[in-house]
Amino acid sequence: MSTCTKRVALVLHEKKVPFVFHPIDLSKGEHKAPEYVAKQPFGQVPYVEDEGMTIFESRAIGRYIAMQYAEQGTPLIPTNIRDMKKTVAFEIAMQMENQEFDPYVSKIGMEKIILPLKVPGFTPREEVVQEAIVALSAKLDVYEKILSKQKYLAGDEISLADLNHLQWGVLLKYAGIDIMESKPAVAKWWKELTERPSWQALVKGIESVEKYD
């Protein structure tokens, strides 16, 4: 169920990096146990261990994986940081997801899906949901302009910025909100993202991967 854990698993699949998944039972507070907090000081999921390092914060983990395993799988970050045009476009797209998309879509997801599952008797506050939908629609109008001119947010090549939208974005449809399909260029982009094999591998949950073909 963890959107942040799926964000990391998605990048691992795209980069063809085998991994061992260790489920954490949030309902039992395993993420607050001393041995867990020693690895993730905020007591949140996920964290990864690789090459003697412990890394937390899902977007930072994704960037690490993309850089550390740059020579395999799908290129997800600019390969030449001195290429200012591509690098700046990538950084802008990363901030778009973090600042212009996530705050609104996560608010909708929390109200309509997460809190009703976690809090007995919780009723979504429709005024909060509608306010977030209106704001998100305005943001997606800008996405529509960008995606009408190029295939992905940072240009014509997929990047971390595009993939980072999936984890919360797919919950909109489960909440009965079809906003991602309401704008032609956004809808085309969204369809391509949700149909990627890496995302389809996570639809039924996260499982360890010993090797990739």
Side-chain angles (χ1 to χ4, degrees), residues 6-39:
K6 285 186 176 180
R7 179 178 289 125
V8 171
L10 179 63
V11 178
L12 288 166
H13 279 297
E14 285 282 348
K15 297 302 294 180
K16 306 294 184 184
V17 180
F19 63 94
V20 177
F21 175 55
H22 298 274
I24 298 296
D25 193 333
L26 303 182
S27 68
K28 293 181 179 178
E30 291 179 357
H31 56 307
K32 300 299 183 182
E35 60 271 22
Y36 188 91
V37 174
K39 301 288 187 178

Side-chain angles (χ1 to χ4, degrees), residues 10 14 163 166 170 187-201 203:
L10 179 63
E14 285 282 348
L163 298 179
L166 279 162
V170 295
K188 182 180 179 181
W189 167 75
W190 193 244
K191 183 175 186 294
E192 195 273 343
L193 291 180
T194 56
E195 290 179 351
R196 292 185 73 82
S198 58
W199 180 252
Q200 290 300 310
V203 169

Side-chain angles (χ1 to χ4, degrees), residues 67 77-88:
M67 292 189 297
I77 59 176
T79 55
N80 180 8
I81 62 172
R82 295 185 182 276
D83 185 335
M84 283 294 105
K85 186 175 181 179
K86 287 188 176 181
T87 298
V88 170

Side-chain angles (χ1 to χ4, degrees), residues 7 59 92-109 132-133 135-141 143 147 153 161-172 179-181 183 186 189-190 193:
R7 179 178 289 125
R59 290 176 181 82
I92 290 172
M94 289 288 283
Q95 290 303 312
M96 284 172 58
E97 181 275 327
N98 196 17
Q99 302 294 326
E100 313 297 345
F101 183 83
D102 184 86
Y104 309 102
V105 72
S106 61
K107 183 176 290 187
I108 296 167
I133 290 174
L136 179 60
S137 181
K139 301 295 185 180
L140 290 178
D141 285 339
Y143 276 55
L147 293 168
L153 293 178
D162 302 290
L163 298 179
N164 282 348
H165 288 72
L166 279 162
Q167 299 72 37
W168 278 110
V170 295
L171 295 183
L172 290 171
I179 195 170
M180 301 303 290
E181 292 79 19
K183 305 172 195 296
V186 171
W189 167 75
W190 193 244
L193 291 180

Side-chain angles (χ1 to χ4, degrees), residues 126-143:
E126 288 303 321
E127 69 279 7
V128 173
V129 173
Q130 289 305 313
E131 181 181 354
I133 290 174
V134 170
L136 179 60
S137 181
K139 301 295 185 180
L140 290 178
D141 285 339
V142 179
Y143 276 55

